[in-house]
Amino acid sequence: MSLRFIGIDPNTGDKQSPTVWVDQEKQEIVLQGWVPNPELEAECAAFEVPGHGTGIPEGEAVIRIPARMVHMIREACDAVERADVR
């Protein structure tokens, strides 16, 4: 795996560290975030999208990322879209 570190939550403490990376080989954005509370996870699992079943499929997870990290997520999106990553 060829991870490129993009950024970490600037307000991170010793035990919390939402982080953004780009996997340059797979052209994927990798996010580490907070585990949602049961209510949020249930709301996400119940959300209906046309053509898709409800629930959170095995192998997938809901995570939370603070809004203050939006610029890092944009940077990761830009990195994945650049020709040098493809």
Side-chain angles (χ1 to χ4, degrees):
M1 185 180 306
S2 177
L3 282 183
R4 175 181 163 200
F5 173 77
I6 300 296
I8 191 167
D9 179 3
N11 292 357
T12 193
D14 290 340
K15 298 184 186 220
Q16 297 184 4
S17 55
T19 307
V20 179
W21 297 274
V22 168
D23 181 330
Q24 297 178 103
E25 290 177 16
K26 293 185 177 182
Q27 299 178 19
E28 295 175 345
I29 296 169
V30 179
L31 302 172
Q32 175 181 322
W34 299 312
V35 175
N37 63 35
E39 293 81 13
L40 177 59
E41 190 167 40
E43 184 176 351
C44 292
F47 196 83
E48 294 187 36
V49 177
H52 292 273
T54 58
I56 301 168
E58 186 175 325
E60 295 185 12
V62 173
I63 63 167
R64 295 172 45 241
I65 299 286
R68 62 184 163 264
M69 293 179 69
V70 166
H71 69 282
M72 293 175 204
I73 296 167
R74 284 189 185 121
E75 182 180 341
C77 291
D78 291 343
V80 167
E81 288 183 337
R82 280 197 298 271
D84 61 332
V85 176
R86 292 176 188 222

